[in-house]
């Protein structure tokens, strides 16, 4: 394909050279000759009246390489010959008869000038010069001479007729030589195009073909394919890097999906097993229909419903069909409220909640969703608190007007290489699902969905063994 394009390109260039050479060369050459003769005629007219006109004419004949015959004009036609130069030997002017001169003048008098072409062959026919036979100088049939006749006026107002003749070089033979040159050029161009096509196909097309083939394998689910390509072209390097990145992301998503199915089926199955088990016990064993057992069923059913809600909510964020219900409220109050209710709930387990807020932190946002974000962060802090049971909630206004909330724990922390991944849906640092740690790996992706809807900034700072600081910053006005 590449070669076909290059071949067409070369073809067009050659055609252009060929046509310009064969069509234009002759014309351009004739034009140059005619203008040269006209210039000579102009010079002759200016010197015609002067003393040394004959000498001047000879100089002009040499300079312009023309034969010259200048006549004055009488009422009846051509008068006497005034000047004569360079008209010997090969010149046509020396073999024109008086009648021919008269006829040329008559033709020129109609429009002021006339141009005739004469064959050169007879002029240079073999002739004896000094006893030796001279070979014909005119080798090609198209070698000829042109005669130009112009009616002019001298500076003193005399009317004169200028006859000029010049040899036209056989352009055809020059063109022939050029054609050979073009033929050679064509061969060089075609060979060059072949080499170029080969090099280009090796350096551009081949890597692209390999990338395409690998992309096909990737589409078929082989996420381990490596796109790394040795190429000196930056774009190909970038393409392969991008494809490698895409393959990495796809494989991550694939792994996460598989994990999700494992997690969710586990999360769904455990409460369901409990509900069924307790239900059967209560049905079959007398005296087991106790409020504690009913409570277990209710708790497990709630857990199930919470999980299903999370999944539904996340899929709505992903579909982008969630809208915000914006109102103004005090963020400081919200933080205090959350800390108080968690504190009450977890008092028995030794948790302590500290709140650090100014008196008021007015914000315009979706109150329920911001509550949900704080709840999710606090419940993560509780879940991953480890032995340290102190959790800090901080709220403050930043210099640029953003409202910053931090949820700080001194728990197990998150490994640095996992920090970017925790915001991914279904991601859990500890893939081994612990029943004691509630959560399906959806909490932070829901937080992210809500914060992004609010155009908020968010992030986490964490050190293994030292704890984590999750933060988000709500813009001053929504
Ligand atoms: P989960 O429901 O599993 O808690 P999340 O999306 O809320 O899911 O969190 C994703 C993962 O991020 C968690 O599984 C956990 O490994 C890690 N993580 C979240 N918050 C904390 C925290 N405060 N301390 C340590 N690890 C955390």
């Amino acid at each position: 394909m590449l070669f076909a394009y290059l071949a067409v390109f070369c073809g067009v260039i050659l055609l252009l050279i060929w046509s310009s050479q064969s069509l234009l060369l002759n014309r351009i050459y004739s034009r140059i000759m005619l203008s040269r003769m006209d210039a000579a005629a102009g010079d002759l007219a200016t010197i015609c009246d002067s003393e040394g006109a004959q000498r001047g004419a000879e100089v002009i004949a040499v300079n312009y390489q023309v034969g010259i015959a200048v006549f004055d004009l009488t009422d009846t036609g051509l008068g006497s010959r005034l000047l004569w130069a360079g008209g010997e030997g090969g010149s046509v002017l020396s073999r024109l008869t008086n009648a021919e001169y008269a006829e040329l003048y008559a033709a020129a008098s109609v429009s002021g000038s006339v141009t005739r072409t004469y064959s050169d062959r007879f002029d240079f026919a073999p002739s004896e010069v000094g006893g030796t036979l001279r070979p014909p100088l005119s080798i090609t049939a198209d070698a000829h001479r042109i005669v130009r006749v112009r009616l002019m006026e001298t500076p003193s107002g005399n009317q004169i007729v200028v006859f000029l003749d010049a040899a036209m070089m056989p352009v055809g033979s020059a063109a022939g030589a050029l054609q050979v040159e073009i033929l050679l050029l064509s061969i060089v161009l075609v060979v060059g195009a072949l080499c170029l096509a080969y090099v280009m196909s090796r350096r551009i097309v081949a890597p692209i073909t390999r990338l395409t083939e690998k992309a096909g394998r990737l589409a078929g689910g082989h996420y381990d394919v490596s796109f790394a390509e040795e190429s000196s072209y930056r774009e190909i390097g970038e393409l392969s890097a991008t494809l490698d990145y895409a393959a990495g992301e796809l494989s991550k998503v694939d792994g996460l999906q598989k994990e999700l199915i494992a997690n969710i089926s586990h999360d769904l199955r455990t409460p369901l097993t409990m509900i069924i088990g307790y239900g059967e016990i209560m049905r079959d064993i007398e005296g087991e229909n106790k409020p504690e057992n009913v409570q277990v069923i209710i708790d497990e059913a709630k857990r199930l419903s919470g999980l299903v809600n999370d999944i539904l909510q996340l899929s709505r964020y992903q579909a982008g069909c969630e809208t915000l219900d914006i109102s103004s409220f005090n963020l400081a109050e919200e933080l205090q409220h959350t800390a108080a209710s968690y504190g009450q709930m977890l008092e028995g387990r030794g948790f302590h909640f500290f709140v650090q807020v100014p008196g008021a932190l007015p914000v315009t946002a979706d109150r329920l969703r911001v509550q949900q974000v704080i709840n999710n962060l606090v419940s993560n802090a509780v879940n991953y608190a480890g032995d340290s049971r102190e959790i800090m909630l901080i709220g403050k206004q930043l210099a640029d007007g953003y409202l910053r909330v931090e949820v700080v724990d001194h728990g197990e922390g998150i490994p640095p290489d996992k920090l970017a991944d925790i915001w991914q849906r279904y991601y859990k640092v500890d893939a081994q699902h612990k029943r004691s740690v509630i959560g399906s790996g959806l909490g932070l992706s829901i937080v992210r969905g809500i914060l992004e809807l609010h155009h908020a900034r968010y992030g986490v700072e964490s050190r293994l063994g030292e704890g984590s600081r999750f933060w988000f910053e709500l813009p001053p006005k929504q």
Side-chain angles (χ1 to χ4, degrees):
M1 197 58 198
L2 200 64
F3 177 69
Y5 282 131
L6 281 173
V8 170
F9 180 66
C10 291
V12 170
I13 288 190
L14 288 174
L15 204 74
L16 277 175
I17 297 176
W18 203 289
S19 57
S20 68
Q21 175 253 263
S22 55
L23 295 178
L24 295 177
L25 201 61
N26 258 317
R27 277 193 199 184
I28 293 171
Y29 183 60
S30 317
R31 278 275 158 81
I32 292 171
M33 290 299 290
L34 286 184
S35 62
R36 200 168 86 194
M37 291 167 98
D38 284 345
D43 286 2
L44 282 168
T46 49
I47 61 153
C48 204
D49 292 332
S50 63
E51 283 276 307
Q54 179 54 38
R55 278 203 60 105
E58 279 158 20
V59 173
I60 290 171
V62 173
N63 282 352
Y64 289 95
Q65 294 182 344
V66 287
I68 296 169
V70 180
F71 291 77
D72 66 357
L73 271 180
T74 63
D75 294 342
T76 51
L78 278 184
S80 59
R81 198 165 78 182
L82 299 174
L83 300 170
W84 173 256
E88 302 82 19
S91 170
V92 179
L93 296 180
S94 61
R95 65 174 161 90
L96 289 181
T97 59
N98 285 347
E100 281 170 321
Y101 271 114
E103 189 269 321
L104 275 171
Y105 159 68
S109 59
V110 178
S111 61
S113 70
V114 75
T115 309
R116 287 275 166 81
T117 309
Y118 291 85
S119 165
D120 214 8
R121 260 187 290 189
F122 305 106
D123 300 328
F124 293 106
S127 62
E128 248 173 283
V129 179
T132 47
L133 201 64
R134 204 172 62 162
L137 289 179
S138 173
I139 309 158
T140 53
D142 61 348
H144 52 264
R145 301 187 73 89
I146 54 172
V147 170
R148 183 146 173 87
V149 185
R150 291 205 54 183
L151 305 191
M152 311 283 288
E153 202 180 277
T154 65
S156 57
N158 292 334
Q159 299 292 320
I160 55 167
V161 191
V162 179
F163 291 81
L164 294 157
D165 108 310
M168 285 283 276
M169 285 299 129
V171 180
S173 69
L178 268 179
Q179 276 167 9
V180 174
E181 204 175 294
I182 288 175
L183 196 73
L184 284 175
L185 198 69
S186 313
I187 294 169
V188 171
L189 271 179
V190 169
V191 172
L194 266 173
C195 294
L196 202 64
Y198 177 72
V199 171
M200 284 172 91
S201 70
R202 270 193 69 90
R203 298 185 64 178
I204 303 178
V205 181
I208 289 180
T209 316
R210 280 199 296 275
L211 286 178
T212 312
E213 186 251 326
K214 286 181 192 167
R217 293 217 324 260
L218 176 67
H222 299 274
Y223 301 118
D224 55 340
V225 53
S226 159
F227 287 92
E229 273 291 337
E230 282 293 315
S231 171
S232 46
Y233 287 94
R234 188 170 47 88
E235 288 80 0
I236 291 181
E238 280 172 6
L239 176 65
S240 58
T242 310
L243 283 169
D244 261 335
Y245 176 72
E249 289 298 295
L250 279 174
S251 108
K252 253 193 221 168
V253 170
D254 186 59
L256 289 172
Q257 299 283 36
K258 284 183 183 142
E259 216 169 276
L260 163 83
I261 293 171
N263 283 351
I264 292 212
S265 51
H266 181 273
D267 283 345
L268 290 177
R269 200 176 303 127
T270 318
L272 281 174
T273 318
M274 302 265 278
I275 291 170
I276 293 166
Y278 274 77
E280 282 174 351
I281 290 172
M282 284 160 64
R283 182 196 62 196
D284 298 340
I285 304 174
E286 214 170 303
E288 279 300 320
N289 195 348
K290 293 186 290 192
E292 307 94 87
N293 291 348
V294 176
Q295 191 57 45
V296 172
I297 293 181
I298 292 172
D299 286 347
E300 293 301 322
K302 273 187 184 161
R303 195 199 292 271
L304 264 183
S305 125
L307 183 65
V308 171
N309 274 345
D310 275 2
I311 297 172
L312 284 180
Q313 198 178 3
L314 190 64
S315 62
R316 280 206 301 276
Y317 284 124
Q318 278 169 2
C321 55
E322 278 295 291
T323 48
L324 295 174
D325 180 12
I326 302 289
S327 63
S328 294
F329 60 95
N330 184 354
L331 193 58
E333 238 171 52
E334 225 45 72
L335 290 171
Q336 268 154 346
H337 183 73
T338 314
S341 55
Y342 268 89
Q344 226 170 19
M345 196 162 67
L346 300 171
E347 216 176 8
R349 286 171 58 193
F351 275 97
H352 290 287
F353 289 86
F354 300 92
V355 185
Q356 212 180 72
V357 283
L361 274 178
V363 65
T364 22
D366 186 323
R367 183 178 192 151
L368 284 179
R369 293 221 167 85
V370 172
Q371 262 174 7
Q372 192 180 353
V373 169
I374 300 171
N375 270 330
N376 280 5
L377 294 183
V378 172
S379 87
N380 272 354
V382 169
N383 285 338
Y384 303 101
D387 294 334
S388 154
R389 313 216 146 181
E390 287 181 358
I391 287 161
M392 178 101 91
L393 275 75
I394 302 168
K396 57 185 162 196
Q397 178 133 31
L398 301 177
D400 60 359
Y402 275 69
L403 292 162
R404 182 176 170 104
V405 172
E406 296 175 8
V407 178
V408 187
D409 68 67
H410 304 289
E412 56 201 57
I414 303 165
D417 57 320
K418 304 281 166 50
L419 276 179
D421 293 327
I422 55 169
W423 303 95
Q424 301 270 1
R425 56 199 180 277
Y426 317 131
Y427 186 83
K428 292 156 93 61
V429 172
D430 182 4
Q432 281 281 309
H433 195 71
K434 295 186 219 151
R435 176 75 178 154
S436 60
V437 176
I438 325 139
S440 53
L442 297 178
L444 284 183
S445 26
I446 291 174
V447 165
R448 178 177 133 183
I450 294 173
L451 291 176
E452 281 177 0
L453 265 184
H454 279 89
H455 306 291
R457 309 188 282 227
Y458 60 91
V460 57
E461 292 146 23
S462 186
R463 274 164 185 259
L464 261 189
E466 286 182 26
S468 316
R469 179 186 298 263
F470 279 84
W471 60 267
F472 66 89
E473 292 165 4
L474 288 169
K477 272 252 172 306
Q478 291 297 319

